[in-house]
Amino acid sequence: MAAPITHPALSSFCKINCNINGIYSLISLNRRISISSVVLSSVVATEREATGRGGRGQWRSRRQAGEPRTERMAEDQDWTAVYPTAASFKPSAVPLPVRMGYPVKRGVPPAKKGNLELIKIPNFLHLTPVAIKKHCEALKPFCTKWPSALDSDEKCMEHFPIQVQSKEFVSAGLSLRNPDARIVTLKVKLSSLNLDDHARKKMIKLSDERYCKDTDTLTITTDSCPLRQQNYDYAMYLLTVLYHESWKTEAWEQEKTRADMEEYEWEDSPSQKNVLETLLRMRPLGAKDEVEEGTREELLGQPAVQEYRDAMVGLKNEGETEENLRKYKEAVKKLLNI
Amino acid sequence: MNLHKLASRLRPTVTQKFRHFHIQGSGQQLEAVVGETSSAEPSLLSVFRTSEQDPACHSERHTGQYYTIPPAHIQKLFPHGLPPRFQLQVKTFNEGCVMVRPPALELISYLKRVDYSKPPLRYILYGDTGSGKTLSLCHALHYCYTQGWLILHIPDAHLWVKNCKELLPSSSRPSRFDQPIQASQWLKNFKITNERFLSKVQLDRYVWTKRESTEEGRPLGELVDQGVNRMKSSSDVVGAVLRELRLQAGGATDGEGAFKLAVAVDGVNALWGKTTLKKEDKTMCEPEELTLIHNLRKMMKNDWSGGAILTALSQTGSLFKPRSAYLPNELLGEEGFDNMEPFVPVSVPNYSEKEFESCYLYYLDRNWLQHPHSRSEEGKKELIFLSNKNPSILERLCAFL
């Protein structure tokens, strides 16, 4: 195959791409880069034309480009052979009629031939599903098998309740490093930890906004150390400390007030007192004097009072809704014998 | 004008069937109509009006119908009790018509059934803004009035926690503050409402200043007069009045002194909210430090017997509460809820289909809807859509038409 002859003065502007099937050459004229395809078949003719035309001697010979590769592509060809690695967009190798660019006045987006926009952007033509499958097949000899016992998500969660996430970054810039790669996120469900009632409440209080009530997940994100390994160790340490601290009971925890309680408890609440008082007042006058423990228990044990208690707890814990209020109303009516 | 005068002359004598013709055509001559009394269709009118004036006899079959409160009752019972827009409406239409609605019926049914030797039950009317809580409360109060109860009506407790021009340190207790203007105004209205009880109730001894005191056995009327005349001690007088009534409500079982006490407070969430009043050192005043509020709170407890406590929540005048709050817990707050329970919550929803029909026909009847489009089906659907069947929004919309 004849190699194109280029003028030495223009060599700095020229770039020759050798391809198996075609030859391209970049010719710069007056510092403008334009792409022309040279047809292979009429090599000799162009040589002559060039010499005839180019009085200045810019081009000795210029081959015509052959037909684009797309003409010869079969439907079921092996695409991984066309784009085995990441490469820029080659309009004669991609058989798709793509258009890209801004449609100037009453025009359409320019076609793919000679379109710089398509070349500039990154493409993933080398990562088709078929290509990925081939990658996987190539990597398989280096992998171990997935344990057969862990065949469902639940089993994975059961045996490995702690999930650690971190990100890897690949970049081809001046530096390969990315500081965000050191961040480690640790997620664990509190139901999988061995916590009793007090420990669970304390753990939730200690972790504050790292705990999500809806999914019962504690999320610890660490980024204070420079290395991922250090951050991972720190996260595990935090989890361990939280766990052990929540099992301990400090002396000052005795001073927990009603305002600190996570949920509403009916015992010893103003509501209970009110109900007791009301019931006591409602009894006939004679029996009012015998207020002892016995009557108190007996009053509290009545089903109407129990229903009232359920309605109150529902109202306070779940917030107020029409439904809750309706239940409360029924309970009050029964309690006060309306 | 002619039409209107004729209408007002004819009203007491003629049956309600006459008004049907107002709906048929505005501007028709009434003389032509006079002769045709019997041919009027009763069905149209009986849909939205009822002739049953006594709230005690209202029942489910009257739901959605308007009943008229006699003007004498309005003057006595509600000198300050009705919402301002409703008062305007009463003046415009020359009659006070209230719709009979399920929440009020429910309240009245409870009031009928309860045993009055037990502590009073607390009822809280709650609902969206403008859904008719205050008017339902007034309806229930009208019932109490016709049954001969003593009415203690605080039309809007929010007025006592904001915009007070004078805030005096209390004469009797150093840490409290008095509001003489509000107190004396309320006492005046109380006097108008409960004329007949003023001479019946006997009091204990109260000492106001070194020189003034109320002896034992004097009638309530004297105490109230003193409160109205002497502004300085009016808040304490209010406290004394409340205390007396509380003690005596169910006490006497003989026919002479027995009375039932209806405590009606609108905007009860003001009692446990915040105030916008400032003390002299520019710190915010707590509601607890106001004499009036303090005494009213004592009234809300159910440690007396022989009456009922009817209350309504109100977001409209409330301070520091979001516009969308209407449920008891949100408006009353923790403290208020704890103080008020156990209470019976009564929900006041927007108009139902039937009630909306009623209201629409009533406005048509009163010639309130002047716009020709409002008389058509299309217009009615528009009204439903715009107001979402909310009574107060509907009323404001119709005022434009």
Side-chain angles (χ1 to χ4, degrees), chain B residues 261-371:
Chain B
L261 182 59
V263 181
V265 184
D266 202 348
V268 72
N269 43 323
L271 297 181
W272 290 283
K274 293 194 205 157
T275 70
T276 51
L277 304 173
K278 291 210 178 109
K279 299 188 267 207
E280 268 144 21
D281 51 357
K282 309 275 184 191
T283 53
M284 213 52 111
C285 204
E286 295 292 317
E288 188 55 35
E289 294 175 5
L290 295 169
T291 329
L292 287 174
I293 305 289
H294 178 82
N295 290 323
L296 202 53
R297 277 195 198 180
K298 279 198 270 189
M299 207 63 191
M300 292 282 120
K301 284 200 227 166
N302 57 353
D303 46 5
W304 44 283
S305 64
I309 306 181
L310 315 160
T311 66
L313 298 174
S314 165
Q315 194 279 332
T316 321
S318 72
L319 299 161
F320 308 110
K321 289 279 180 225
R323 172 79 174 78
S324 55
Y326 74 96
L327 294 166
N329 214 1
E330 292 165 349
L331 283 176
L332 282 174
E334 283 288 334
E335 207 193 328
F337 196 86
D338 288 334
N339 272 311
M340 284 299 282
E341 61 149 0
F343 62 86
V344 181
V346 180
S347 157
V348 181
N350 284 335
Y351 280 152
S352 67
E353 289 289 338
K354 191 172 162 209
E355 289 168 350
F356 180 85
E357 277 289 324
S358 245
C359 186
Y360 177 73
L361 286 171
Y362 177 64
Y363 285 144
L364 277 181
D365 170 58
R366 302 271 90 218
N367 277 331
W368 194 232
L369 296 171
Q370 293 285 327
H371 198 283

Side-chain angles (χ1 to χ4, degrees), chain A residues 271 274 281 308 320 329 333, chain B residues 106 302 329 338 341 345:
Chain A
S271 165
N274 282 341
R281 275 179 215 141
Y308 182 79
E320 230 177 357
K329 190 165 150 185
K333 274 162 68 167
Chain B
E106 205 183 319
N302 57 353
N329 214 1
D338 288 334
E341 61 149 0

Side-chain angles (χ1 to χ4, degrees), chain B residues 120-394:
Chain B
L121 284 174
R122 286 170 285 204
Y123 309 94
I124 297 196
L125 286 165
Y126 70 95
D128 221 353
T129 316
S131 60
K133 303 180 282 288
T134 312
L135 274 185
S136 300
L137 191 66
C138 294
H139 184 176
L141 266 189
H142 186 218
Y143 163 78
C144 298
Y145 185 73
T146 49
Q147 301 290 307
W149 293 30
L150 201 157
I151 311 278
L152 206 72
H153 186 41
I154 290 109
D156 195 357
H158 289 300
L159 295 173
W160 288 1
V161 295
K162 55 180 179 176
N163 300 337
C164 289
K165 298 266 167 29
E166 279 183 26
L167 201 67
L168 304 174
S170 166
S171 40
S172 52
R173 256 164 263 254
S175 62
R176 298 234 197 98
F177 291 92
D178 276 356
Q179 287 148 298
I181 313 180
Q182 274 82 16
S184 54
Q185 185 144 31
W186 184 78
L187 280 171
K188 270 189 225 138
N189 290 321
F190 175 74
K191 196 163 134 186
I192 300 176
T193 313
N194 298 302
E195 286 282 0
R196 46 196 164 137
F197 286 105
L198 289 178
S199 47
K200 290 194 195 156
V201 181
Q202 314 290 328
L203 302 174
D204 287 337
R205 192 187 148 81
Y206 286 102
V207 178
W208 303 117
T209 63
K210 288 201 197 76
R211 276 164 287 172
E212 287 168 18
S213 63
T214 314
E215 299 303 322
E216 202 167 320
R218 307 296 299 164
L220 189 63
E222 214 181 274
L223 186 61
V224 175
D225 284 327
Q226 195 202 343
V228 173
N229 294 333
R230 298 215 183 289
M231 301 266 272
K232 270 192 101 168
S233 53
S234 50
S235 317
D236 290 323
V237 165
V238 171
V241 162
L242 291 177
R243 182 169 163 271
E244 280 305 311
L245 292 173
R246 206 166 56 227
L247 290 173
Q248 300 198 7
T253 45
D254 52 354
E256 182 55 41
F259 62 89
K260 292 197 213 140
L261 182 59
V263 181
V265 184
D266 202 348
V268 72
N269 43 323
L271 297 181
W272 290 283
K274 293 194 205 157
T275 70
T276 51
L277 304 173
K278 291 210 178 109
K279 299 188 267 207
E280 268 144 21
D281 51 357
K282 309 275 184 191
T283 53
M284 213 52 111
C285 204
E286 295 292 317
E288 188 55 35
E289 294 175 5
L290 295 169
T291 329
L292 287 174
I293 305 289
H294 178 82
N295 290 323
L296 202 53
R297 277 195 198 180
K298 279 198 270 189
M299 207 63 191
M300 292 282 120
K301 284 200 227 166
N302 57 353
D303 46 5
W304 44 283
S305 64
I309 306 181
L310 315 160
T311 66
L313 298 174
S314 165
Q315 194 279 332
T316 321
S318 72
L319 299 161
F320 308 110
K321 289 279 180 225
R323 172 79 174 78
S324 55
Y326 74 96
L327 294 166
N329 214 1
E330 292 165 349
L331 283 176
L332 282 174
E334 283 288 334
E335 207 193 328
F337 196 86
D338 288 334
N339 272 311
M340 284 299 282
E341 61 149 0
F343 62 86
V344 181
V346 180
S347 157
V348 181
N350 284 335
Y351 280 152
S352 67
E353 289 289 338
K354 191 172 162 209
E355 289 168 350
F356 180 85
E357 277 289 324
S358 245
C359 186
Y360 177 73
L361 286 171
Y362 177 64
Y363 285 144
L364 277 181
D365 170 58
R366 302 271 90 218
N367 277 331
W368 194 232
L369 296 171
Q370 293 285 327
H371 198 283
H373 187 59
S374 60
R375 289 165 196 269
S376 60
E377 266 305 308
E378 281 282 324
K380 199 161 119 189
K381 282 192 194 139
E382 266 186 45
L383 281 174
I384 297 184
F385 177 73
L386 283 172
S387 65
N388 195 23
K389 301 200 211 105
N390 183 293
S392 90
I393 297 185
L394 179 64

